[in-house]
Amino acid sequence: MRSVVKFGGSSVADIEKMKTIARYLRNRSISGEELVVVVSAMGKTTNALLSMAREAAQNPSKREMDMMLSTGEQVSIALLTMILEAEGQEAVSLTGYQAGILTEGLHTRNKIKDIDIGVIEKHLSQGKVVVVAGFQGYNREGEITTLGRGGSDTTAVALAAKLSCPCEIYTDVDGIYGVDPRIYPKARRLASITYEEMKEMAFLGAKVMEPRSVDIAHHYGVRLYVGSSSEGKPGTVIQEGENSVEERSITGVSVLENIMMVTIHPLKNVSENTAKIFSKLAKEEINVDMISQSPLPDGSVSVSFTASAEEEPVVRTLLTELLSSMEGVELSIRADILKLSVVGSGMRTQSGVAARLFELFSENAITFLQVTTSEISISYTLEKKYKDQAVQLIADAFHL
Amino acid sequence: MRSVVKFGGSSVADIEKMKTIARYLRNRSISGEELVVVVSAMGKTTNALLSMAREAAQNPSKREMDMMLSTGEQVSIALLTMILEAEGQEAVSLTGYQAGILTEGLHTRNKIKDIDIGVIEKHLSQGKVVVVAGFQGYNREGEITTLGRGGSDTTAVALAAKLSCPCEIYTDVDGIYGVDPRIYPKARRLASITYEEMKEMAFLGAKVMEPRSVDIAHHYGVRLYVGSSSEGKPGTVIQEGENSVEERSITGVSVLENIMMVTIHPLKNVSENTAKIFSKLAKEEINVDMISQSPLPDGSVSVSFTASAEEEPVVRTLLTELLSSMEGVELSIRADILKLSVVGSGMRTQSGVAARLFELFSENAITFLQVTTSEISISYTLEKKYKDQAVQLIADAFHL
């Protein structure tokens, strides 16, 4: 029996917490398990490094950021390994490079290209717990790289994929909830969820796992488990759909804040102009999310899309310049909105979810601005003020 | 024109100091120099890492210590490179591994085996300042290693040897002094000193440079310069003897404290027993320094040697056990002593130095316990209480 086990930053925040983890790992190893452990940087280490970098340079090169940030995980793996050895457990630490994690792409947001698991297999066969630095790898030029947000989850899942074993992610929360318990205290932890539902949830702001790592798990069929490292409570299993669809029509509601909605209208020569707009945005690497378009009586259209509110200055400059050549076209950007998504693989087989949602909004005088749908989700942009009311109405109506 | 330039821990203690260094390097690079910069960890970083390690485990494995300690230099090189880039100077940071520094030996005290300078040459040819992490390398197994005390000096000198260029070591002191200025305020900074004199000085407690790095410089004929990073004062050049012997008979006096003198007597079956004793000490890696032996009337001998006072418990246990089988042999260990050495390449060509020293001691009623000589030095063990008096007498007598 072999597992990849990942511990996040707050569960390795100090030496005491690492000692708890080490004893836990020791017990599992004694009972015959082969363990590969992935750890993040300790608690506030990354922030401390970032603030030093800011003091050094206004806009430090990303290669050097990777050089610096990767040290956080390197300290964690050395300490956890020392503690394991002090507990009588043979162990070895490996940086991303030593673990054979080859990456490609841009510094600070590399993607894993492949993993040469030879070194890990060798150490496992010698009975060692192998402690791998999350979030980092190396590229073909031999440079140190990092994987960007949620990178340690990605490391863990990719290792599990290559080592053909399940992956356990230990974090601050004790599992996946259908609704944010801070908004809806009656929310229940889900015992299981499909990869696709989890991906929709992740993309839509559930924040428990990065979508990339769920994608990898899905693609390679890695059984994922998400749970709390500090409590004995059962967490949530993420796996293939057949067994876990049950009778649920809706699995969860998620809310994405900190977004803006951009509307352009009236737009003529529709396909030519929308192409211009979205290719320009893509070129500047602006991540566009919901896109909706409505026809106007004169044959022109109104186009709206959402994006991260952080992109506001760039998008405004970009579009103002682009639209200056199109007569009479207006640009409006709203930041007082949020995106609310209702997710459930049950939607494929049960009708009426969309209808019930429209009824709910209408009965309670909640107006929405855009709506888009996928096979297993419906998303709305709403004014922020409706957030709690809308989430509670949906949670009650669908017994989440 | 190409140089290796090394900055110690206190000269990169904070970002402000690094900015000063970066501007200095930028100016030299603009004037056409090719620069390889070696830096240590920032000020207190290494101590902070060590204290975490101690909290993690009583006796952490040395492999994991290397994994952890190497991060200190990695942060320094990233920050200095960011700052250089912010100053408009193209630069690149390299860990010991990336710089091709292959090492061998025991973890935490590896020795440099070879350096593959291909990557450094490539970056230099692109006009970049190359910033290399001192104190670290990698071994044939691909593990991260460190070089032990003074390791960053060793990195710098070894790089200069391979790159066929001079090496500048910037440190807290503004050069090499013949006598410790804290003991003898009239002490003068030496404009130049030979490798051999420097090695004797280094071994004997001058503390400015580790003997290993001076050895490498000597072997490869690397011109060394030692000076202060903060002041414009000229430092000391260390180079081949011919040009710098001048008329000096004595170059300096150095004092080594924190040692103990071990005496064993009466010892019979001399060569058999001394062999036993010193091979036992060597096996336990006890570094023995001065050894002296005097015949006793009955054909037995009295043997004395010095070693670091830190080794006292080990040496006492070891010898007590060994001597228990030799009847009537006594062991005495004195920690109230110091070693005083007088160094000068002039000794080779000028007689009378030893005689003058014996006279000085005799006139001033300073008794010494042991004496050993090399071609360019004479060393004594003395009681600690004579330290300042002896140093001042010698400095005055030889106009140091």
Side-chain angles (χ1 to χ4, degrees):
Chain A
M1 173 70 185
R2 167 185 286 190
S3 297
V4 173
V5 183
K6 184 251 168 177
F7 293 94
S10 62
S11 48
V12 293
D14 57 46
I15 305 276
E16 278 316 305
K17 289 190 174 169
M18 287 200 204
K19 287 185 177 170
T20 308
I21 290 173
R23 283 187 288 269
Y24 169 74
L25 294 169
R26 165 86 175 134
N27 286 337
R28 286 182 61 171
S29 174
I30 285 178
S31 73
E33 274 195 81
E34 288 185 343
L35 294 174
V36 174
V37 185
V38 175
V39 284
S40 301
M42 292 168 78
K44 290 164 188 165
T45 311
T46 304
N47 283 340
L49 291 170
L50 283 171
S51 94
M52 277 205 287
R54 265 194 299 273
E55 201 187 333
Q58 280 205 311
N59 188 21
S61 85
K62 293 192 163 25
R63 179 192 186 279
E64 300 305 328
M65 284 306 291
D66 279 355
M67 175 64 84
M68 193 153 103
L69 290 178
S70 63
T71 63
E73 284 73 24
Q74 201 174 322
V75 170
S76 294
I77 57 172
L79 286 172
L80 182 58
T81 304
M82 288 173 189
I83 296 170
L84 281 163
E85 290 172 330
E87 292 280 336
Q89 174 60 52
E90 279 199 82
V92 65
S93 69
L94 299 174
T95 63
Y97 168 74
Q98 293 173 325
I101 300 172
L102 180 68
T103 70
E104 61 183 6
L106 299 174
H107 274 293
T108 75
R109 43 179 172 163
N110 261 237
K111 289 184 171 17
I112 294 178
K113 167 91 175 153
D114 197 10
I115 305 180
D116 178 351
I117 54 171
V119 172
I120 293 178
E121 290 277 11
K122 188 193 82 185
H123 289 300
L124 285 177
S125 73
Q126 294 166 355
K128 291 179 200 155
V129 168
V130 180
V131 183
V132 177
F135 177 70
Q136 58 177 257
Y138 73 105
N139 65 19
R140 291 228 180 270
E141 285 72 48
E143 293 172 317
I144 295 173
T145 57
T146 67
L147 304 176
R149 248 186 88 194
S152 290
D153 286 351
T154 308
T155 301
V157 175
L159 280 170
K162 293 290 287 192
L163 291 161
S164 309
C165 70
C167 180
E168 302 165 22
I169 307 279
Y170 291 99
T171 166
D172 297 334
V173 299
D174 59 357
I176 315 282
Y177 284 75
V179 195
D180 187 338
R182 286 168 303 183
I183 300 176
Y184 189 71
K186 289 185 287 178
R188 285 174 304 189
R189 191 180 51 248
L190 302 168
S192 75
I193 184 173
T194 67
Y195 295 117
E196 282 169 329
E197 286 171 336
M198 186 63 210
K199 275 192 274 184
E200 292 278 355
M201 299 285 286
F203 275 116
L204 301 171
K207 284 178 194 147
V208 178
M209 287 203 66
E210 276 297 299
R212 283 164 66 191
S213 49
V214 183
D215 253 340
I216 300 170
H218 191 187
H219 187 253
Y220 291 94
V222 173
R223 187 177 185 275
L224 268 180
Y225 168 87
V226 176
S228 159
S229 54
S230 54
E231 302 168 60
K233 290 189 201 164
T236 300
V237 171
I238 308 164
Q239 58 193 358
E240 210 41 87
E242 328 315 327
N243 310 318
S244 61
V245 172
E246 303 167 13
E247 80 291 357
R248 294 193 311 246
S249 59
I250 288 191
T251 306
V253 179
S254 76
V255 172
L256 189 66
E257 298 184 270
N258 242 320
I259 58 168
M260 62 176 177
M261 184 176 67
V262 180
T263 303
I264 300 163
H265 88 121
L267 201 62
K268 287 169 193 168
N269 300 324
V270 177
S271 59
E272 183 192 330
N273 286 331
T274 47
K276 263 189 205 162
I277 291 167
F278 288 105
S279 68
K280 188 84 177 173
L281 293 167
K283 222 167 171 180
E284 298 293 321
E285 303 199 20
I286 308 291
N287 232 328
V288 169
D289 185 10
M290 293 174 71
I291 301 175
S292 58
Q293 178 174 314
S294 314
L296 299 177
D298 64 355
S300 66
V301 297
S302 170
V303 175
S304 293
F305 66 88
T306 61
S308 163
E310 286 168 24
E311 309 281 15
E312 206 251 312
V314 186
V315 169
R316 189 179 290 278
T317 311
L318 217 98
L319 292 183
T320 304
E321 196 197 314
L322 191 68
L323 301 181
S324 65
S325 63
M326 304 178 195
E327 212 180 321
V329 178
E330 281 174 33
L331 170 71
S332 104
I333 301 187
R334 287 184 71 162
D336 64 336
I337 57 139
L338 55 78
K339 177 176 172 184
L340 181 145
S341 299
V342 176
V343 180
S345 359
M347 282 193 198
R348 283 174 187 157
T349 47
Q350 302 190 21
S351 57
V353 172
R356 183 84 190 87
L357 286 167
F358 285 110
E359 271 171 39
L360 271 180
F361 286 162
S362 148
E363 282 164 19
N364 294 278
I366 297 175
T367 51
F368 52 87
L369 304 166
Q370 288 176 284
V371 60
T372 58
T373 59
S374 84
E375 261 192 294
I376 65 161
S377 72
I378 305 178
S379 299
Y380 302 87
T381 49
L382 298 175
E383 286 180 47
K384 278 183 184 172
K385 63 182 177 190
Y386 295 122
K387 177 173 131 182
D388 291 5
Q389 188 193 359
V391 169
Q392 282 157 17
L393 282 170
I394 297 167
D396 280 338
F398 291 92
H399 311 291
L400 297 179
Chain B
M1 172 73 184
R2 168 186 286 191
S3 298
V4 173
V5 184
K6 184 250 168 179
F7 293 94
S10 62
S11 49
V12 293
D14 57 46
I15 304 277
E16 277 316 306
K17 289 189 174 170
M18 287 201 204
K19 287 186 177 170
T20 307
I21 290 173
R23 283 188 288 267
Y24 170 73
L25 294 169
R26 164 86 173 134
N27 286 337
R28 286 182 61 171
S29 174
I30 285 178
S31 73
E33 274 195 83
E34 288 184 343
L35 294 173
V36 175
V37 185
V38 175
V39 284
S40 303
M42 292 168 78
K44 292 164 186 164
T45 312
T46 304
N47 284 340
L49 292 170
L50 283 171
S51 95
M52 277 205 287
R54 266 194 298 274
E55 200 187 336
Q58 280 203 312
N59 187 20
S61 84
K62 294 196 166 16
R63 179 192 187 278
E64 300 305 328
M65 283 306 291
D66 279 354
M67 175 64 86
M68 194 154 102
L69 289 179
S70 64
T71 63
E73 283 74 24
Q74 202 175 321
V75 170
S76 293
I77 58 172
L79 286 171
L80 182 58
T81 305
M82 288 173 189
I83 295 170
L84 281 164
E85 290 172 331
E87 291 280 337
Q89 174 61 53
E90 278 198 83
V92 66
S93 69
L94 299 175
T95 64
Y97 168 75
Q98 292 172 327
I101 300 172
L102 180 68
T103 70
E104 60 183 6
L106 299 173
H107 275 293
T108 74
R109 42 178 170 162
N110 261 237
K111 287 184 174 14
I112 294 179
K113 167 92 174 151
D114 197 10
I115 304 180
D116 178 350
I117 54 171
V119 171
I120 293 178
E121 290 278 11
K122 189 193 81 186
H123 289 300
L124 285 178
S125 73
Q126 293 166 358
K128 291 179 200 157
V129 168
V130 181
V131 184
V132 177
F135 177 71
Q136 60 178 256
Y138 72 105
N139 64 20
R140 291 229 180 272
E141 285 73 48
E143 293 171 319
I144 295 173
T145 58
T146 67
L147 304 176
R149 246 186 89 195
S152 291
D153 287 351
T154 308
T155 302
V157 176
L159 280 169
K162 294 289 288 190
L163 291 161
S164 309
C165 70
C167 179
E168 303 164 23
I169 307 279
Y170 291 99
T171 165
D172 297 334
V173 299
D174 60 356
I176 315 284
Y177 283 76
V179 194
D180 187 339
R182 286 167 303 184
I183 300 177
Y184 189 71
K186 289 185 286 178
R188 284 176 302 189
R189 188 179 53 245
L190 301 167
S192 75
I193 183 172
T194 68
Y195 295 118
E196 283 169 327
E197 287 170 335
M198 186 63 211
K199 274 191 273 184
E200 294 277 354
M201 301 283 288
F203 274 115
L204 301 171
K207 284 178 193 145
V208 178
M209 287 203 66
E210 276 298 298
R212 283 163 65 191
S213 49
V214 183
D215 253 340
I216 300 170
H218 191 189
H219 187 254
Y220 291 93
V222 174
R223 186 177 186 277
L224 269 181
Y225 169 88
V226 176
S228 160
S229 55
S230 54
E231 300 167 62
K233 289 190 202 166
T236 301
V237 172
I238 308 166
Q239 58 193 358
E240 209 41 88
E242 328 317 326
N243 311 319
S244 60
V245 173
E246 302 167 14
E247 80 292 358
R248 292 191 314 243
S249 58
I250 288 191
T251 305
V253 179
S254 76
V255 172
L256 189 65
E257 298 185 271
N258 242 321
I259 58 168
M260 61 176 176
M261 182 177 69
V262 180
T263 303
I264 300 162
H265 89 120
L267 201 61
K268 287 168 190 165
N269 298 324
V270 177
S271 60
E272 184 191 330
N273 285 333
T274 47
K276 263 190 205 161
I277 290 166
F278 288 105
S279 68
K280 187 85 178 175
L281 292 167
K283 222 167 168 180
E284 298 293 321
E285 304 199 18
I286 309 292
N287 233 326
V288 168
D289 185 8
M290 293 174 74
I291 300 176
S292 59
Q293 180 174 312
S294 315
L296 300 177
D298 65 354
S300 67
V301 298
S302 171
V303 175
S304 293
F305 65 86
T306 61
S308 163
E310 286 168 23
E311 309 282 13
E312 207 251 315
V314 185
V315 169
R316 189 179 289 278
T317 311
L318 217 96
L319 292 183
T320 304
E321 196 196 315
L322 192 67
L323 301 181
S324 66
S325 63
M326 305 177 195
E327 213 180 318
V329 177
E330 282 174 31
L331 170 72
S332 103
I333 301 186
R334 288 184 69 163
D336 62 337
I337 56 139
L338 55 79
K339 177 176 171 186
L340 180 146
S341 299
V342 176
V343 180
S345 2
M347 280 194 200
R348 283 174 187 156
T349 48
Q350 304 192 20
S351 58
V353 173
R356 184 84 190 90
L357 287 167
F358 285 109
E359 271 170 38
L360 271 180
F361 287 164
S362 150
E363 283 163 18
N364 293 278
I366 297 174
T367 52
F368 51 88
L369 303 166
Q370 288 175 284
V371 58
T372 59
T373 59
S374 83
E375 262 192 292
I376 65 161
S377 71
I378 306 177
S379 298
Y380 303 87
T381 50
L382 298 175
E383 287 181 47
K384 279 184 182 169
K385 62 182 176 190
Y386 295 122
K387 178 174 130 185
D388 291 4
Q389 190 193 358
V391 168
Q392 281 157 19
L393 282 170
I394 297 167
D396 281 336
F398 291 92
H399 311 291
L400 297 179

